Amino acid sequence: MSEVKVPELAESITEGTISEWLKSVGDQVEKGENIVELETDKVNVEVISEVAGVLTEIKAEEGDTVEVGSVIAVVSDGEAQPASNDAKPEKQEEPSKEDAGKPEAKEAKEAKEETASSNERIQATPSARRLAREKGIDLSKVKTQAEDVIRPEDVESAAKPQPQAKPAEKSQPAQAKSNDNPSKPVVREKLSRRRQTIAKKLLEVSNNTAMLTTFNEVDMTNVMELRKRKKEKFQEDHNGTRLGFMSFFTKAAVAALKKYPDVNAEIDGTDLVLKQFYDIGIAVSTEEGLVVPIVKDCDKKNFAEIEQDIVDLAVKAKDKKLGLDDMMGGSFTITNGGVFGSLMSTPIINGTQAAILGMHSIVTRPIAIDKDRMENRPMMYIALSYDHRIIDGKQAVGFLKTIKDLIENPEDLLLES
């Protein structure tokens, strides 16, 4: 017998939520096979079985929060027997063949056969399915309390005999509740663990930092012309990797961080921790919310390597394949609301970092070239949200001005790299 425990996830992660059981009780399990998926604050993690055998017990239901090191399942030696789940109840009825005539045994068997086919299509926790089998309850006739997933308490409620004398009394409150305001329907959904974590972290940042935002605008003319001239050659030289704007802004951020090291810092108690590495988080939007995978060692990588890393991480994020290592250790973050059409925003600092750079839409606007001339130029607003406990306004403005100057003069950015 082997206990399946919640593995060590990461230094800052102490618990997770059971997202989905990939195996059911009675299933054969191979050594190293994934049996359950955990949703953590940052990524989803699949837990494997350390031994081959049969999954004989599940100790935590889907949706339960479990701590690192806790036992969530048991795998026993042996092999799964075909139709073993059906055989056990039948053996309990076999001792005397006269039981076949007993209404209780007959009804239990019929209920079991009926639920075996229909229950597979119903969303229910493993323990709810097990209880339904034991009580001969058809899950398709079970009403849930508040969610789409049937839980054991729902099965217990369905198993209780309903008093005949008070049907009207029970239906009246339900009728009143559903008709409170039928013209204003609502749908109530439980927040996913990821969304709960995002809400908690953003609130913590707002409450625990003195966050301010400063703005500037960048003339994108020169960098756009450079991309236009070089993009085909760049793609040929780097195995199809495209030259985007993110590598320019990432390299500009590294140069600015070197010039203003406090922006690459964080507060730890009464200490200021100055990071002498440049691992840049790139915010990526997914169906489950915003995630920030990290492009490591951006000061040591060229434009093509940064662009390829960003593409790889974005694909992994959308396919839910990000690992914990992809998310840990960032020193500074860049977010690009411009891909969704944002003209200007005040991004919120990521975690314990000191600042975050916000990019926005490129919009053609009339710009004064000098006192006599105006031209239409492709312009982008950029924003730096920063922790005023660490960074003074002069540093913040200087940092953003450095980004502006390097993007407007990309040749200088290449020299900085």
Side-chain angles (χ1 to χ4, degrees), residues 33-78:
E33 187 175 8
N34 296 324
I35 61 173
V36 63
E37 184 178 78
L38 291 177
E39 184 180 2
T40 73
D41 294 351
K42 297 181 181 293
V43 295
N44 286 12
V45 177
E46 290 180 333
V47 180
I48 66 170
S49 174
E50 299 292 342
V51 299
V54 179
L55 183 61
T56 54
E57 188 176 0
I58 288 176
K59 293 179 175 285
E61 303 171 9
E62 291 177 0
D64 286 352
T65 297
V66 290
E67 295 183 354
V68 169
S70 61
V71 178
I72 55 175
V74 175
V75 176
S76 300
D77 298 336

Side-chain angles (χ1 to χ4, degrees), residues 69-186:
S70 61
V71 178
I72 55 175
V74 175
V75 176
S76 300
D77 298 336
E79 295 184 359
Q81 299 298 321
S84 61
N85 288 343
D86 293 337
K88 287 180 182 176
E90 288 174 5
K91 283 191 176 181
Q92 291 174 354
E93 297 171 16
E94 267 177 20
S96 76
K97 294 197 176 180
E98 60 226 28
D99 283 346
K102 290 185 179 179
E104 300 90 354
K106 187 175 181 182
E107 288 173 10
K109 184 177 180 182
E110 290 175 353
K112 186 178 189 324
E113 290 173 351
E114 182 182 356
T115 56
S117 59
S118 64
N119 288 353
E120 293 302 317
R121 299 186 295 271
I122 307 299
Q123 289 191 350
T125 65
S127 56
R129 291 185 185 279
R130 187 164 57 249
L131 187 61
R133 286 196 296 269
E134 291 172 0
K135 293 183 177 292
I137 301 292
D138 184 352
L139 288 177
S140 66
K141 298 176 182 177
V142 175
K143 295 181 179 179
T144 60
Q145 299 291 330
E147 302 175 3
D148 293 336
V149 179
I150 296 174
R151 298 186 174 279
E153 54 266 29
D154 301 323
V155 178
E156 289 284 5
S157 179
K160 291 179 181 177
Q162 301 297 318
Q164 296 297 319
K166 299 182 179 180
E169 293 177 14
K170 286 203 168 189
S171 61
Q172 260 182 337
Q175 186 75 10
K177 184 178 180 181
S178 62
N179 287 339
D180 281 345
N181 195 344
S183 66
K184 304 290 184 181
V186 299

